[in-house]
C-alpha cells in the first residue's frame, strides 16, 4: 500500500482496486487450503505456502518507480495466496498439540499472542521504514527533512520499502526452515 500510494503516487481508491485482485486470490486460497487440509496435506500446505510467500516477497525486494505493475501485482498475489495456504493449517497444527481440556485457554492465548506479534512487528517495520526513508533521502544528497510529495521523497520511500521487504525475506526464510521441523500428525500424508 505504501509503495503504491507514496512511491507510485496512486490514490487510495486506485490502490484499493489494485490490491483487490490479490485479496480475491487469497479468498480462493483459503477455500483451497481448507479442502486440501481435510485430505491430510497439512505439512505440504504449510511449507508450500511459506515458499510462495517467500518467492512473492523476494519479487518485490527490488522495486523502482518504473517497476512493471503486472509483475508487482503478481508478486503480491503470490504472497497473499501463500498466506492463505499457511494460516489455517498452521493454526490447526499449533492448537492440535494442546491437551483437549486446555484447548479453550490455548485458543485465547494463541489469539492474544497473534495480535501482539502483529502489532509489534508492524510497529517495528514502520519505524524501520521511517528511519530508512530519512536515511535514503539524505544519502541522495538532499538536506533537511524529507518533503513529502517530491520526487526525492518518492524515490527514498521506494528504497525504504525495498529494505523492509528484505528484512521480511530474512524472517520468511527462517520461518520456511522451521516448517521442516513440523512433526507429522496421524492424518497427515506428508
Amino acid at each position: 500500500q505504501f509503495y503504491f500510494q507514496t512511491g507510485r503516487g496512486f490514490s487510495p481508491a486506485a490502490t484499493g482496486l489494485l490490491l483487490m485482485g490479490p485479496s480475491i486470490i487469497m479468498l480462493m486460497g483459503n477455500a483451497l487450503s481448507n479442502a486440501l487440509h481435510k485430505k491430510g496435506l497439512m505439512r505440504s500446505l504449510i511449507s508450500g505456502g511459506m515458499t510462495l510467500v517467500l518467492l512473492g516477497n523476494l519479487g518485490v525486494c527490488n522495486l523502482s518507480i518504473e517497476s512493471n505493475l503486472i509483475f508487482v501485482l503478481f508478486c503480491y498475489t503470490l504472497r497473499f495466496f501463500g498466506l492463505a495456504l499457511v494460516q489455517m493449517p498452521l493454526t490447526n497444527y499449533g492448537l492440535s498439540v494442546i491437551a483437549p481440556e486446555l484447548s479453550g485457554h490455548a485458543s485465547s492465548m494463541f489469539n492474544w499472542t497473534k495480535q501482539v506479534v502483529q502489532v509489534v512487528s508492524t510497529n517495528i517495520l514502520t519505524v524501520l521504514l521511517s528511519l530508512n526513508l530519512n536515511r535514503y533521502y539524505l544519502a541522495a544528497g538532499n538536506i533537511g527533512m524529507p518533503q513529502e510529495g517530491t520526487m526525492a521523497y518518492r524515490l527514498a520511500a521506494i528504497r525504504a520499502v525495498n529494505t523492509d521487504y528484505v528484512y521480511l525475506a530474512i524472517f520468511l526464510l527462517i520461518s520456511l526452515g522451521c516448517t521442516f521441523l513440523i512433526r507429522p500428525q496421524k492424518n497427515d500424508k506428508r
Side-chain angles (χ1 to χ4, degrees):
Q1 177 182 343
F2 187 77
Y3 167 75
F4 290 113
Q5 288 183 263
T6 305
R8 296 290 290 259
F10 291 118
S11 70
T15 300
L17 288 173
L18 285 171
L19 293 177
M20 189 184 314
S23 298
I24 290 170
I25 296 297
M26 187 177 195
L27 182 65
M28 288 189 255
N30 281 328
L32 178 65
S33 175
N34 186 31
L36 293 175
H37 185 268
K38 288 178 182 175
K39 294 182 187 242
L41 297 171
M42 182 184 63
R43 289 177 63 199
S44 299
L45 285 170
I46 294 171
S47 57
M50 285 302 298
T51 302
L52 290 176
V53 174
L54 180 61
L55 290 174
N57 194 76
L58 289 173
V60 292
C61 280
N62 196 24
L63 298 174
S64 70
I65 205 160
E66 296 93 17
S67 291
N68 184 330
L69 204 53
I70 302 295
F71 175 74
V72 174
L73 289 174
F74 174 74
C75 292
Y76 272 97
T77 301
L78 267 182
R79 292 178 79 230
F80 282 38
F81 186 70
L83 283 172
L85 293 180
V86 165
Q87 286 177 347
M88 190 268 297
L90 195 58
T91 301
N92 191 358
Y93 177 77
L95 293 177
S96 68
V97 296
I98 303 297
E101 62 272 7
L102 298 175
S103 63
H105 298 295
S107 179
S108 298
M109 284 301 297
F110 175 80
N111 289 325
W112 180 83
T113 305
K114 186 170 93 170
Q115 295 296 326
V116 169
V117 168
Q118 286 175 344
V119 168
V120 169
S121 60
T122 300
N123 286 331
I124 289 171
L125 288 172
T126 302
V127 168
L128 290 172
L129 182 75
S130 178
L131 292 173
N132 285 325
L133 192 149
N134 288 329
R135 182 170 60 99
Y136 292 136
Y137 184 81
L138 296 174
N142 301 298
I143 54 173
M145 293 298 293
Q147 299 298 315
E148 196 168 334
T150 63
M151 184 56 76
Y153 182 86
R154 291 173 63 191
L155 293 173
I158 290 172
R159 286 187 67 194
V161 166
N162 289 340
T163 305
D164 265 11
Y165 281 128
V166 170
Y167 297 148
L168 283 172
I170 292 167
F171 285 103
L172 287 170
L173 192 57
I174 293 167
S175 299
L176 179 61
C178 290
T179 64
F180 297 107
L181 301 175
I182 294 175
R183 286 179 269 145
Q185 292 182 325
K186 293 174 189 169
N187 64 341
D188 199 9
K189 293 181 180 167
R190 183 195 170 261

